[in-house]
Amino acid sequence: MPAKGGEMANSKVKLITSLGEIELEVFDDRTPVTAANFLDYVRAGFYDGTIFHRVIPGFVAQGGGFVPGMEQKRTKDPIVNEAAKGPSNTRGTLSMARTPHPDSATSQFFINFSDNTSLDYRGPGPGAGYCVFAQVIKGMDVVDAMAAVPTGRRPPHADVPKEDIVVIAAKIL
């Protein structure tokens, strides 16, 4: 959709969760590969029924890869890490989760509960950072409610909410 000046407006996505709704602005303009990857998963209905499987108050809520019972979903191939292009990992931003390999992100993402600039790009290799691809524009109260949910262990996982926080649906607005 065109914005002022003929530029393309960034996409908007609504996450309807068991705790309430979160509206996101996706940075199509700054992190096009990562944004397209996330939007493709949304269009496919991939996130519907997934859970936030890792919640660490003061740090992040991670989701996008597991369903209730901690069963991991099958994903598409990994994408290139665009962390050098994205903004900083500040409160309310979303970043792609990945393994230690920089170009390993698939569907999982996390929402920053606080400013986590230590996760920003610092150079190739171990400093590759985590790509910020979106930000919360409505529903930070829902994000904050996630941080208050009691967590425990579901071996081999830690910091798992004792009561599932479910993404009922993810929709492009």
Side-chain angles (χ1 to χ4, degrees), residues 65-119:
F66 290 84
V67 295
M70 295 299 290
E71 182 181 331
Q72 193 163 6
K73 291 186 78 170
R74 188 174 176 90
T75 64
K76 300 183 304 176
D77 290 337
I79 59 170
V80 65
N81 185 349
E82 295 181 293
K85 297 178 180 180
S88 185
N89 280 277
T90 56
R91 176 172 161 74
T93 58
L94 280 75
S95 291
M96 292 305 295
R98 60 174 177 76
T99 69
H101 185 279
D103 297 328
S104 60
T106 57
S107 65
Q108 291 188 39
F109 61 89
F110 58 87
I111 304 173
N112 287 293
F113 287 138
S114 59
D115 292 349
N116 294 315
T117 57
S118 64
L119 302 177

Side-chain angles (χ1 to χ4, degrees), residues 4-80:
K4 294 178 185 173
E7 298 172 13
M8 291 303 287
N10 282 330
S11 300
K12 305 281 191 295
V13 169
K14 181 182 288 187
L15 299 178
I16 302 165
T17 78
S18 53
L19 294 179
E21 296 182 357
I22 303 167
E23 192 171 317
L24 311 172
E25 175 186 4
V26 181
F27 302 138
D28 307 85
D29 57 346
R30 295 182 73 176
T31 55
V33 171
T34 310
N37 178 69
F38 178 74
L39 294 168
D40 285 348
Y41 278 113
V42 171
R43 279 186 203 95
F46 181 90
Y47 294 122
D48 300 357
T50 60
I51 58 173
F52 282 89
H53 65 277
R54 181 175 177 228
V55 174
I56 304 172
F59 188 47
V60 301
Q62 184 173 335
F66 290 84
V67 295
M70 295 299 290
E71 182 181 331
Q72 193 163 6
K73 291 186 78 170
R74 188 174 176 90
T75 64
K76 300 183 304 176
D77 290 337
I79 59 170
V80 65

